[in-house]
Amino acid sequence: MDSAESPTKTQDGEDENYSLLCQAHEQFNNSEFDRCLELLQELETRGESSGPVLRHNRAVVSYYKTGCTQHSVLLKELEALTADADAPGEVSSGLSLKQGAAAATVARYNRAVIYYHRHMFGTALERLAPLVSRLEALEKAMAALVATLQLQLLLATNQLNRAEAFLDYLQYKLNLVATAPSSNAAEEAAVVGTAPPTAATNSSVVATPGGAAVEGAVPGLGGSLQLLQLITLVLNRKPVVIQEDGTPEYAALKAQQYYIMKDFQMAAKQLMRINNECTQAGTVTPQLSTCIANNMGVIHLRVRHYAIAAKFFQNALNFDQQLARNLRQSTLQTMSSARSCEILYNLGVAMLHLRRPKEAFQCFLVPVKQFHSNPRLWLRMAEACIMEHEAKLVEEERQSQSETPSTKPYAPQSAGVPEPTLEFAALCLRSALTLTQHYKTRFHMAAVSSEDVEAPEPKDPTQESWRHPQDNNFCNPSKPVSLESLENMMAAIYAAHSFVSLRLGDHVTALEMSEKLLACERLSDAHKLLGHMYAGEALMLMDKAAEARDHLDPTFVGTLNAFDFETRDWQLKSVDAAQNVVRYNLAVAMALQNDLPQAKALLANLTHSLVANKALALRRFMDLKTGPVPGGTPS
């Protein structure tokens, strides 16, 4: 942490107090915290009028004296200081820094810093809001500190559009950042995976006069803001040139840019280069190892190397656990570096793709406590429950050689138990559906034409204008979702909800969900098939075979896109397989209506391995029901 500039006098009669303050400042910079506290105490006994300033600095020095681990005590003192402040614009009398930051102002900033490092980003934004609202009135060094933290918080909460607008405000209105070097290369659009490569700077606790420390003078802060500026532009997919300066932060940002441009090979090479260079220089830290391992996993997950991705995520988790062994006694910097929730989220997704649902479910249990408003996470937990249930059914059928298991009734008493069961899957899907429907009503459409992007008009951002842009960032820690992604997620929730309801014997809900699925906009061919199948099955189980036949008309399958089946991770890999499944279910509906001749005619043409055994069993059942065919041989 860089030292603050030396204190200055504000009145001629304060020479002696000023001398003590300078001594306290020097002792703080030399890490002589006991002596610094003694000098601050002496200032207070002399009747120094800057009571809040001395109180604040004493709290900060005590925090450093304890090894920067007692942040809860510091936070409590800062809360009391801000509560006692008359107004946000309070100017303390007595001694001050040349920066002129009031005790209440810096206390508010430090309080937001603590919340930032504790991953309480929403609370940090609320605490910092009074300072951001009067950013133009703050002294330049303090304004740069507040702007840096605000930009970090906007990026941490995936408010990318608002971060870019705030960056324009800093650049054109406050002149705190310069124009970033742009590139003429075409902009590439790609969905960034969970916990992508990042290179964030860290905020530190600062203090006012008397042993106070402000992180960096204006030049240093300019460097931090420049890095945050590049991160913001890269995440918003803006063409920008990243000139590496030999630090891991800029090199990691270059890997991030490669990833967004879908150059996954170059992104992986860049990360490996960072690892090799830091290993040779002896500068590898658990934080850096965690970042590299996680981001390598994200890259392999993106190219469907699921086993390799899972291995990288497990390595990242091992590195992260070295940081998170005792968070209660850790420094704020260490606490801020812990990323177990995000890594477990990634590992859970990889385990789902590897068809290891029990491990995936256990991974999701941790991040769901922090990201409980993420509908996609609830859907992933439900998918793990469904996959685990189906795996158990297959195993039971293999062991007992029995037919399809009977339908299970609801078990409300166990629905809330976090275990990979269908009952808990139904609970997860209800949560996912409620959240998604809520977010869809608040979805913000970006109305920016290509002409505006190519030839932007001169910007004149104001304090309020940067607050206008909205971000659809309701799937944290993933990046903001598009309308297409939201609709795909809604369709997946409806399909899973209908399937689970069928398994649990709730045919009414299954029919309702399947009908809502079929009413979705931009419905994929695979989901269209599932909607008709689940609706037909629900109607048959409700003794409405005639209505079920309307959903099981094989003609609609011929209009489906074969590519949509071939690229999905499921059993129906072709339109022919889908045709066979639909025809088999239609034969079942006909059999229920005693339309046996047509049912037998359909079964005669079913040869796909997915339905061949079931079709044979149904044909034998109908033979037993109607008697053997004249001239035929007994089966």
Side-chain angles (χ1 to χ4, degrees):
M1 179 176 287
D2 299 328
S3 62
E5 296 189 32
S6 301
T8 57
K9 296 180 289 185
T10 57
Q11 298 179 13
D12 294 337
E14 296 177 342
D15 288 343
E16 191 171 352
N17 288 352
Y18 174 71
S19 177
L20 288 175
L21 187 62
C22 288
Q23 293 179 42
H25 179 266
E26 182 179 355
Q27 295 298 328
F28 178 85
N29 289 337
N30 294 333
S31 300
E32 297 291 341
F33 303 122
D34 289 328
R35 179 57 182 158
C36 181
L37 287 172
E38 291 175 4
L39 292 171
L40 291 176
Q41 182 63 34
E42 185 176 351
L43 273 171
E44 189 171 7
T45 57
R46 287 173 175 269
E48 165 58 39
S49 57
S50 299
V53 175
L54 296 178
R55 181 182 171 187
H56 174 273
N57 290 341
R58 192 164 53 246
V60 172
V61 175
S62 299
Y63 167 74
Y64 277 91
K65 180 183 175 182
T66 59
C68 300
T69 58
Q70 303 298 322
H71 41 80
S72 297
V73 177
L74 175 60
L75 181 61
K76 184 177 180 180
E77 185 65 26
L78 295 175
E79 295 281 7
L81 268 172
T82 53
D84 294 341
D86 294 332
E90 170 204 339
V91 178
S92 59
S93 58
L95 304 174
S96 64
L97 288 175
K98 285 195 291 186
Q99 282 89 345
T105 298
V106 183
R108 288 185 173 89
Y109 171 80
N110 286 342
R111 185 177 55 172
V113 168
I114 294 175
Y115 283 122
Y116 166 80
H117 284 296
R118 291 170 66 174
H119 294 210
M120 301 172 65
F121 304 129
T123 305
L125 283 168
E126 293 176 3
R127 298 295 188 267
L128 197 64
L131 300 183
V132 177
S133 63
R134 61 187 191 93
L135 199 58
E136 298 176 27
L138 295 177
E139 187 272 336
K140 189 171 184 179
M142 193 67 211
L145 282 169
V146 173
T148 301
L149 181 57
Q150 175 72 9
L151 197 53
Q152 286 177 294
L153 288 168
L154 291 175
L155 293 175
T157 52
N158 286 313
Q159 300 184 60
L160 304 184
N161 292 330
R162 186 169 291 181
E164 185 180 7
F166 183 68
L167 191 62
D168 291 337
Y169 169 66
L170 298 180
Q171 179 177 342
Y172 296 103
K173 191 70 175 180
L174 300 184
N175 197 29
L176 287 177
V177 292
T179 303
S182 61
S183 170
N184 294 326
E187 223 175 325
E188 301 260 0
V191 177
V192 180
T194 307
T198 56
T201 58
N202 291 320
S203 298
S204 300
V205 175
V206 302
T208 46
V214 179
E215 187 195 351
V218 177
L221 289 171
S224 299
L225 278 173
Q226 182 184 10
L227 177 59
L228 290 172
Q229 177 189 31
L230 292 174
I231 294 173
T232 303
L233 295 176
V234 168
L235 293 179
N236 280 284
R237 300 176 176 86
K238 303 297 181 182
V240 60
V241 176
I242 300 175
Q243 298 177 349
E244 297 186 38
D245 61 350
T247 61
E249 289 80 10
Y250 281 88
L253 183 57
K254 187 68 176 178
Q256 170 82 4
Q257 190 178 46
Y258 282 132
Y259 179 88
I260 290 177
M261 296 170 63
K262 297 184 179 181
D263 193 345
F264 306 120
Q265 186 176 11
M266 284 301 299
K269 287 183 178 180
Q270 182 77 359
L271 289 174
M272 293 305 298
R273 184 173 68 84
I274 297 172
N275 184 65
N276 294 335
E277 291 179 354
C278 291
T279 300
Q280 293 176 1
T283 57
V284 177
T285 62
Q287 293 93 328
L288 181 61
S289 299
T290 301
C291 174
I292 292 176
N294 177 74
N295 295 342
M296 287 293 291
V298 171
I299 293 172
H300 283 284
L301 189 65
R302 184 66 175 79
V303 296
R304 301 185 180 184
H305 297 163
Y306 303 125
I308 301 176
K311 182 62 176 177
F312 273 114
F313 291 139
Q314 289 168 341
N315 291 338
L317 202 57
N318 292 334
F319 291 128
D320 190 75
Q321 287 174 351
Q322 298 178 23
L323 300 171
R325 284 174 181 171
N326 189 5
L327 285 181
R328 293 184 182 276
Q329 299 298 322
S330 299
T331 64
L332 285 176
Q333 299 285 354
T334 301
M335 183 177 294
S336 178
S337 302
R339 287 289 184 269
S340 295
C341 284
E342 292 86 343
I343 298 170
L344 284 170
Y345 189 119
N346 295 342
L347 181 58
V349 173
M351 289 298 180
L352 270 183
H353 284 291
L354 291 172
R355 297 195 174 277
R356 295 167 61 180
K358 188 175 294 185
E359 292 92 330
F361 184 82
Q362 293 300 323
C363 290
F364 291 139
L365 283 179
V366 176
V368 79
K369 297 176 183 178
Q370 180 175 348
F371 307 111
H372 50 79
S373 297
N374 183 346
R376 185 177 289 160
L377 179 52
W378 287 109
L379 174 60
R380 295 289 173 259
M381 292 188 71
E383 289 174 341
C385 294
I386 294 171
M387 194 178 296
E388 174 66 14
H389 176 79
E390 294 303 299
K392 287 182 178 179
L393 288 184
V394 172
E395 183 63 25
E396 291 173 2
E397 186 175 2
R398 182 182 297 112
Q399 291 178 356
S400 62
Q401 298 297 321
S402 63
E403 297 297 327
T404 304
S406 58
T407 304
K408 293 177 60 178
Y410 267 116
Q413 70 278 6
S414 63
V417 178
E419 294 180 355
T421 62
L422 283 187
E423 290 78 14
F424 190 75
L427 180 63
C428 293
L429 290 168
R430 284 196 293 269
S431 299
L433 183 59
T434 301
L435 289 168
T436 308
Q437 290 174 335
H438 170 68
Y439 291 134
K440 190 172 183 179
T441 61
R442 299 170 48 194
F443 194 88
H444 299 281
M445 297 295 295
V448 180
S449 65
S450 58
E451 296 178 357
D452 295 333
V453 175
E454 294 174 0
E457 297 179 359
K459 299 179 181 180
D460 185 23
T462 62
Q463 173 65 246
E464 295 300 324
S465 64
W466 70 266
R467 302 178 188 272
H468 295 161
Q470 301 293 328
D471 293 272
N472 302 300
N473 59 323
F474 44 79
C475 281
N476 285 327
S478 302
K479 289 295 176 280
V481 301
S482 63
L483 181 59
E484 182 179 1
S485 297
L486 180 65
E487 291 175 346
N488 289 338
M489 181 166 57
M490 183 78 79
I493 293 171
Y494 282 139
H497 206 332
S498 181
F499 175 83
V500 170
S501 299
L502 283 171
R503 286 294 194 190
L504 293 173
D506 188 357
H507 309 140
V508 175
T509 301
L511 179 60
E512 178 187 359
M513 293 297 107
S514 61
E515 288 177 343
K516 288 184 177 180
L517 172 61
L518 293 172
C520 287
E521 300 178 4
R522 304 181 186 178
L523 192 63
S524 68
D525 286 349
H527 281 123
K528 187 183 298 183
L529 173 66
L530 292 177
H532 285 295
M533 294 284 294
Y534 294 157
E537 184 174 352
L539 287 168
M540 282 191 285
L541 293 171
M542 296 167 66
D543 295 328
K544 298 180 179 180
E547 297 179 32
R549 291 178 65 168
D550 295 335
H551 286 281
L552 300 174
D553 184 2
T555 56
F556 86 91
V557 181
T559 63
L560 302 181
N561 184 5
F563 182 77
D564 201 20
F565 293 87
E566 296 169 357
T567 56
R568 292 183 181 269
D569 185 17
W570 65 343
Q571 292 179 315
L572 299 182
K573 289 295 186 181
S574 64
V575 174
D576 178 61
Q579 282 277 16
N580 275 259
V581 172
V582 172
R583 289 176 184 274
Y584 169 76
N585 282 277
L586 179 59
V588 173
M590 291 176 175
L592 291 174
Q593 289 185 292
N594 289 322
D595 192 355
L596 303 183
Q598 290 195 42
K600 289 183 177 181
L602 278 175
L603 293 176
N605 297 322
L606 300 184
T607 57
H608 199 279
S609 58
L610 283 175
V611 297
N613 293 334
K614 294 181 182 295
L616 179 60
L618 180 59
R619 190 180 302 113
R620 287 177 176 176
F621 169 78
M622 289 188 293
D623 289 341
L624 291 174
K625 189 173 181 180
T626 60
V629 179
T633 58
S635 57

